[in-house]
Amino acid sequence: MKYNDIRKTFLEYFESHGHKIVPSASLIPNDPTLLFTVAGMVPWKGILQGTEPAFAPRVADVQKCIRAGGKHNDLDEVGFDGRHHTFFEMLGNWSFGDYFKAGAIEMSWDLLTNVLKLDPARLRVTTHVSDDESTEIWRKVAGKDAIRLGDKDNWWSAGDTGPCGPCTEIFYDFGDDIENEDDRWVEIWNDVFMQFDRDANGNLTPLPKQNVDTGAGLERWAALLQGKVDNYDTDLFSALIGATEDIVGVKKTPENIASFKVIADHLRAVGFAIADGVIPSNTDRGYVIRRILRRAMRHGQLLGHRGALLSRLYPALVTEMGVAYPELGREEKRVVEIIQNEENAFADMLQNGIKLLDNEIPKIQNNILPGEIAFKLFDTYGFPLDLTQMILREKNIDVDVDAFNRAMAEQKERSRANTKGTRTLWESQTQLPGTDDATKYAPDENMASHVLAILRDGEFVQAANAGDAVEVALDKTNFYGTQGGQVGDSGEMTSGTMTVMTVTEAARVDNIVIHKGTLVTDMRVGDIVKTIINKSVREQTARAHTATHLLQAALRHVLNEDVEQRGSKVSPDSVRFDFSFGRAMTADEKQAVEDLVNKWIDADMPVTHEEMSMTDAKSRGAMALFGEKYGDTVKVITAGDVSCELCGGTHVYHTGEIIHARVNKEKSISSGVRRITMSVGSLAE
């Protein structure tokens, strides 16, 4: 049974048993404590813990997940066994105060043995030592005596206090010819019974509504249903590995199979994450995806491949998984472009870093690279520590990690000291002319700009070196510098065919646009460069900014005309909007706002961008931001007959470009001021 058939069979079974089938939630969780959706329960956390109402008593889904950052980190294991993945799919059925232990166990056993036809003799079950009820249900349903285990194996809790309860797990026997017990007996299903509320003293009180939280790994199911021991021998991974063989021009062998596994796995993690709106970067989830992408490229090089890899493999991912996850095909152009940009930047970084390593390797003593050298690779060339370790591992050389960590801590301390007065430093440069950013609304990538000033480590310098973290002022730029609540552009500076600098953010200090980032090659004051924005990020930000205007109009329509903006932050496909209002919004009001915004998006109304006098703008009824200062000439953004506002940000030209919107949270941030967050574009879908 192939992956697509397994998903279909699972969902059809639970639909026939009264479950509402819902699509996978985004890999970007609505939970600030998590970088990614790491388990099937993450989207339902609020319902399971009783902080959100359930929209249906029974639900089933197939949830896409990533575990590759923070405490949920399987990255280093991937490729060297047949079970670990950074991206995986979790089959789940959920009861929100409906059926409980008997219903969950009966359906689990029925689906596995009667529908999927697994041999009952190859299945064994575990229960918690205290859970006599589940143990007895297993005897009645399956005629099996459960193995009873303790809290470590068969107890779930949300933390030291709060919802918790026993769980029962089902294991599959892959055969007595497998010596390692962990590889022979593999967990294929886990039913968690949220039965109690635990207080600070450890006392358990039965919950008024008892929930069922289940999880079953699709990759493991595919292996056992296709008669494979290794997940990477199943149909989906075989197809991705075959596509990799075609691109790298090398066939998989026992000696190189780890690299093929890494590439196939990492293609899924990178492709799905970017399709969901993650942008590779140097922080948070963006850094995790950048690290995964670079690890895949390095393994491509171990296979002898040079040049683009994951961007060429992405169409194969769409072919294999695009039916189940249509966002892959819908976002293909954008995802491929982002991956290509990352691959090009990585190729330059790798070339420079390997030169340094080649010079240092002959000096190494006791097969240990000094931590200071590893840190120089990181600080100067952007080499993550794990990439250095991977390259040296091939030569049986270790890294002095303790010394690396000390150098990192010292650098962070210097950085804090040096950046504390960054804005003040730029404000002191009164001799600098203002930046001409007239082309920021229609970027001209053929425009040549002169480097006016370079700030490095808290000092203005005439020249800086490759790898330096710098802030650069130019005489003109097409980058939008952070202002008016909109985050600044990212992109790069180039000279000829070379990338000179990767720009992570453009900021504004008075009339100067500051380009923050890392140099790829050396730079001097007076150099001529071209500024190239990241178009996909610009498009995402423009979507979000126009959606912010629609959001304000919808709030005024649903709540009252007295609602006024008190601040905002517009990021790629994400909106945070603060407004004056004296109470919490009801669930119906939030839904009405979301529905109204989407109605206007679906209407594909024209969005006009006009410059006019302040007098004309006022006569047109254009809204202005509370407390903002405007000049005599202003820019007015008008969306159909719905919204007319003064705004200097970047916007779409038809509301349909926003694609979709979803209201996430609404809360108080001060007396009489509320904050609402909204996702748009691919994040909202």
Side-chain angles (χ1 to χ4, degrees):
M1 185 178 286
K2 294 184 176 182
Y3 277 80
N4 289 332
D5 299 324
I6 298 171
R7 292 190 202 95
K8 182 180 179 182
T9 299
F10 179 86
L11 294 175
E12 287 180 346
Y13 176 85
F14 283 102
E15 185 174 35
S16 72
H17 286 73
H19 291 67
K20 179 180 178 62
I21 306 304
V22 297
S24 172
S26 171
L27 283 167
I28 302 175
N30 192 16
D31 183 338
T33 68
L34 297 172
L35 287 178
F36 296 101
T37 299
V38 296
M41 65 82 62
V42 170
W44 314 120
K45 189 174 179 180
I47 298 176
L48 293 170
Q49 295 183 351
T51 59
E52 297 177 14
F55 61 90
R58 301 182 177 195
V59 172
D61 64 354
V62 183
Q63 175 62 47
K64 50 194 179 185
C65 304
I66 285 180
R67 289 185 185 174
K71 64 181 180 180
H72 302 285
N73 192 358
D74 288 346
L75 182 57
D76 293 335
E77 305 294 332
V78 173
F80 299 98
D81 63 15
R83 299 260 192 265
H84 281 91
H85 303 279
T86 55
F87 174 94
F88 60 95
E89 299 174 79
M90 187 64 74
L91 308 162
N93 59 287
W94 315 86
S95 168
F96 304 130
D98 189 32
Y99 61 82
F100 201 46
K101 295 180 182 179
I105 291 173
E106 289 167 3
M107 285 187 283
S108 299
W109 189 252
D110 181 44
L111 177 55
L112 290 175
T113 59
N114 295 325
V115 178
L116 298 178
K117 306 298 183 184
L118 296 184
D119 182 359
R122 302 186 77 164
L123 298 173
R124 74 179 183 187
V125 297
T126 64
T127 57
H128 190 259
V129 289
S130 69
D131 193 2
D132 296 336
E133 183 182 0
S134 293
T135 304
E136 184 56 33
I137 293 170
W138 275 115
R139 289 195 187 102
K140 292 179 180 179
V141 171
K144 285 189 175 290
D145 288 324
I147 299 170
R148 308 189 72 167
L149 302 173
D151 289 359
K152 179 181 178 181
D153 297 291
N154 282 83
W155 188 269
W156 181 92
S157 65
D160 294 335
T161 61
C164 60
C167 63
T168 180
E169 297 179 332
I170 306 173
F171 290 78
Y172 183 80
D173 182 4
F174 274 82
D176 57 12
D177 56 330
I178 299 176
E179 295 181 6
N180 187 318
E181 285 289 299
D182 290 336
D183 289 335
R184 175 181 175 180
W185 293 97
V186 176
E187 177 199 333
I188 61 169
W189 205 325
N190 183 15
D191 289 341
V192 174
F193 305 124
M194 295 190 184
Q195 188 171 356
F196 304 103
D197 181 71
R198 182 165 55 195
D199 65 21
N201 296 319
N203 299 314
L204 299 177
T205 304
L207 289 166
K209 282 190 175 182
Q210 297 174 329
N211 302 318
V212 175
D213 161 4
T214 78
L218 177 54
E219 291 77 11
R220 294 182 181 185
W221 277 31
L224 67 91
L225 291 170
Q226 294 177 28
K228 308 295 184 183
V229 175
D230 191 320
N231 294 356
Y232 291 90
D233 289 334
T234 54
D235 69 288
L236 169 60
F237 284 100
S238 294
L240 296 181
I241 288 173
T244 305
E245 288 178 323
D246 292 341
I247 288 176
V248 303
V250 175
K251 294 295 182 183
K252 68 175 182 179
T253 67
E255 290 73 28
N256 66 21
I257 186 59
S259 290
F260 280 100
K261 289 180 177 181
V262 167
I263 293 167
D265 172 90
H266 290 8
L267 169 65
R268 296 208 305 169
V270 170
F272 271 91
I274 296 177
D276 269 6
V278 179
I279 304 298
S281 68
N282 288 329
T283 59
D284 299 327
R285 63 177 63 93
Y287 174 72
V288 175
I289 295 306
R290 174 170 284 172
R291 180 183 175 194
I292 293 173
L293 190 154
R294 290 177 173 182
R295 189 170 188 260
M297 286 193 67
R298 178 57 185 164
H299 277 276
Q301 292 183 334
L302 294 179
L303 295 173
H305 180 71
R306 297 293 182 270
L309 179 58
L310 295 192
S311 59
R312 295 177 61 188
L313 279 171
Y314 186 80
L317 179 65
V318 176
T319 298
E320 295 302 315
M321 303 187 72
V323 173
Y325 300 98
E327 65 270 22
L328 291 177
R330 188 171 58 244
E331 297 292 328
E332 181 169 1
K333 181 179 178 181
R334 181 179 67 86
V335 174
V336 169
E337 180 181 355
I338 291 172
I339 295 176
Q340 285 175 335
N341 290 340
E342 284 294 307
E343 288 174 328
N344 292 337
F346 177 73
D348 293 337
M349 181 204 75
L350 191 65
Q351 182 179 4
N352 293 328
I354 286 180
K355 287 180 181 177
L356 175 61
L357 265 182
D358 288 342
N359 289 333
E360 294 296 333
I361 286 175
K363 308 173 188 176
I364 290 176
Q365 298 179 358
N366 301 319
N367 281 348
I368 298 177
L369 181 75
E372 295 79 6
I373 301 300
F375 178 74
K376 183 178 180 181
L377 277 167
F378 170 80
D379 194 40
T380 303
Y381 299 108
F383 256 56
L385 176 62
D386 64 312
L387 178 60
T388 300
Q389 291 172 312
M390 184 195 309
I391 294 172
L392 294 179
R393 193 178 297 123
E394 302 155 16
K395 304 177 185 297
N396 295 316
I397 298 173
D398 293 325
V399 176
D400 186 341
V401 176
D402 289 341
F404 174 89
N405 289 334
R406 286 195 298 272
M408 175 69 80
E410 292 170 1
Q411 192 269 354
K412 287 182 178 178
E413 186 59 37
R414 288 194 303 270
S415 178
R416 277 192 293 268
N418 289 333
T419 59
K420 186 176 181 181
T422 290
R423 182 176 184 87
T424 302
L425 288 170
W426 281 109
E427 289 174 343
S428 70
Q429 300 299 296
T430 55
Q431 80 284 0
L432 287 179
T435 307
D436 177 3
D437 62 349
T439 62
K440 63 179 178 289
Y441 297 116
D444 175 11
E445 292 185 356
N446 292 316
M447 179 179 68
S449 303
H450 290 81
V451 176
L452 298 181
I454 303 171
L455 180 65
R456 181 188 64 188
D457 293 338
E459 292 183 77
F460 286 96
V461 296
Q462 288 298 305
N465 301 321
D468 286 347
V470 295
E471 295 181 10
V472 175
L474 305 174
D475 64 341
K476 50 183 176 290
T477 186
N478 51 28
F479 277 60
Y480 182 94
T482 300
Q483 63 177 340
Q486 178 176 323
V487 300
D489 281 327
S490 59
E492 61 183 10
M493 296 182 195
T494 65
S495 177
T497 60
M498 292 191 308
T499 297
V500 176
M501 177 180 174
T502 57
V503 181
T504 56
E505 180 192 1
R508 178 177 287 274
V509 177
D510 295 333
N511 61 348
I512 303 174
V513 176
I514 309 303
H515 305 77
K516 302 179 180 181
T518 304
L519 293 179
V520 178
T521 63
D522 296 348
M523 175 185 282
R524 297 185 63 84
V525 171
D527 283 354
I528 298 175
V529 296
K530 291 183 179 179
T531 50
I532 301 175
I533 67 167
N534 185 319
K535 292 181 180 178
S536 63
V537 175
R538 164 69 76 89
E539 290 168 359
Q540 290 174 284
T541 307
R543 280 201 295 254
H545 207 150
T546 306
T548 307
H549 289 203
L550 299 185
L551 175 61
Q552 178 169 215
L555 287 168
R556 290 168 63 86
H557 182 87
V558 172
L559 300 179
N560 61 58
E561 291 293 321
D562 294 330
V563 166
E564 290 185 348
Q565 181 177 348
R566 288 292 184 266
S568 67
K569 182 178 181 181
V570 178
S571 305
D573 276 356
S574 178
V575 171
R576 189 185 75 199
F577 187 81
D578 300 337
F579 61 101
S580 57
F581 197 55
R583 61 167 174 84
M585 294 174 64
T586 67
D588 288 343
E589 287 170 340
K590 287 188 283 188
Q591 188 62 55
V593 167
E594 180 179 302
D595 291 344
L596 190 53
V597 172
N598 282 312
K599 176 184 176 182
W600 292 333
I601 291 171
D602 293 340
D604 199 24
M605 300 181 298
V607 180
T608 60
H609 309 209
E610 301 173 274
E611 285 193 354
M612 61 185 69
S613 69
M614 189 64 176
T615 301
D616 289 341
K618 287 180 178 179
S619 65
R620 186 176 291 194
M623 292 179 60
L625 180 62
F626 176 83
E628 185 72 25
K629 295 180 180 179
Y630 298 93
D632 294 332
T633 301
V634 294
K635 188 178 180 186
V636 177
I637 304 297
T638 306
D641 59 358
V642 167
S643 171
C644 182
E645 291 189 43
L646 304 183
C647 184
T650 60
H651 290 268
V652 300
Y653 288 88
H654 287 86
T655 58
E657 296 174 49
I658 300 171
I659 303 173
H660 194 66
R662 184 183 68 207
V663 171
N664 297 320
K665 291 183 177 180
E666 186 265 349
K667 65 178 182 179
S668 171
I669 59 171
S670 65
S671 178
V673 179
R674 311 291 300 179
R675 171 169 291 170
I676 192 168
T677 59
M678 186 171 73
S679 302
V680 303
S682 58
L683 287 185
E685 293 186 315

